[in-house]
């Protein structure tokens, strides 16, 4: 049983290519600690690059996904994280989900996501598994290999402009043949 509520701890590691490497730990009520090593982008030059940094909603969603209620939501399910940025919630979800796909549209962010997915593989039944990474642009049709694949769609800090919300939900509607569970 994992209930996580304490503040996130973040320590800087040696710099990686394209950004700083950080170890992020989530203190859990049961005394355990969930730790991720992630690359964080160097800077935000424009609106399109917001996914390179850690925003406040990602650790909050991460703590929820590590809670008993969050684990019940994702356990054994196929999960998509939309607007994943550096991927914190999705990488934590992989610990309990059947599979996780981290999605974003920015090529620089996708490189960071690939790095973070490879740094945070988990052991599932003696098989080392990484989250998959996919390019998804909300303003274009969803990639055919993602249509009908997911049970749960998660996202943190993904909509800053009201006009983008309808495109987000239109895209995620293709992710499941039934009404998926949204945690955004």
């Amino acid at each position: 049983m994992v209930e996580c509520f304490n503040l996130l701890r973040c320590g800087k590691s040696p710099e990686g290519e394209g950004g700083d490497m950080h170890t992020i730990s989530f203190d859990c009520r049961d005394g355990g600690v969930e730790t991720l090593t992630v690359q964080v982008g160097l800077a935000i030059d424009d609106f399109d690059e917001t996914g390179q940094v850690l925003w406040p909603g990602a650790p909050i969603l991460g703590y929820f996904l590590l809670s008993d209620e969050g684990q019940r939501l994702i356990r054994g399910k196929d999960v998509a994280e939309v607007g994943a940025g550096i991927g914190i919630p999705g990488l934590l979800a992989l610990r309990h989900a059947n599979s996780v796909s981290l999605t974003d549209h920015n090529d620089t962010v996708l490189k960071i996501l690939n790095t973070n997915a490879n740094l945070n593989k988990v052991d599932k039944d003696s098989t080392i598994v990484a989250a998959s990474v996919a390019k998804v642009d909300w303003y274009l049709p969803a990639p055919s290999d993602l249509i009908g694949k997911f049970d749960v769609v998660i996202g943190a800090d993904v909509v800053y402009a009201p006009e983008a919300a309808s495109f987000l939900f239109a895209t995620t509607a293709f992710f499941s043949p039934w009404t998926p569970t949204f945690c955004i």
Side-chain angles (χ1 to χ4, degrees):
M1 178 175 0
V2 177
E3 292 287 342
C4 299
F5 291 100
N6 291 340
L7 293 177
L8 159 111
R9 291 192 320 266
C10 182
K12 187 173 177 182
S13 301
E15 194 171 302
E17 182 182 331
D20 290 339
M21 301 301 287
H22 292 268
T23 300
I24 301 175
S25 299
F26 292 79
D27 294 332
C28 301
R29 182 181 281 173
D30 70 352
V33 176
E34 293 285 349
T35 302
L36 297 172
T37 299
V38 295
Q39 181 180 18
V40 178
L42 295 174
I44 299 174
D45 294 330
D46 64 31
F47 178 76
D48 194 43
E49 297 177 344
T50 58
Q52 294 185 52
V53 298
L54 178 62
W55 293 95
I60 293 167
L61 179 55
Y63 278 123
F64 169 73
L65 294 171
L66 292 173
S67 73
D68 288 342
E69 185 178 353
Q71 288 179 38
R72 280 191 299 275
L73 176 71
I74 61 174
R75 186 174 288 114
K77 304 277 179 68
D78 296 311
V79 176
E81 183 179 2
V82 293
I86 62 174
I88 299 293
L91 294 170
L92 290 170
L94 185 60
R95 286 155 164 70
H96 302 286
N98 179 52
S99 69
V100 172
S101 290
L102 307 170
T103 71
D104 211 293
H105 76 281
N106 181 280
D107 291 332
T108 301
V109 173
L110 291 168
K111 288 177 189 173
I112 292 170
L113 274 175
N114 274 306
T115 297
N116 292 346
N118 285 320
L119 288 170
N120 293 282
K121 295 176 182 177
V122 297
D123 186 343
K124 291 184 177 276
D125 299 321
S126 300
T127 302
I128 304 301
V129 177
S132 63
V133 175
K135 183 171 187 161
V136 173
D137 186 331
W138 302 344
Y139 298 96
L140 299 174
S144 60
D145 60 328
L146 299 181
I147 294 175
K149 183 177 177 183
F150 304 104
D151 305 302
V152 178
V153 178
I154 62 173
D157 296 308
V158 292
V159 177
Y160 299 97
E163 61 274 7
S166 62
F167 292 100
L168 165 65
F169 288 113
T171 298
T172 58
F174 289 103
F175 284 174
S176 177
W178 53 87
T179 304
T181 300
F182 289 95
C183 187
I184 296 180

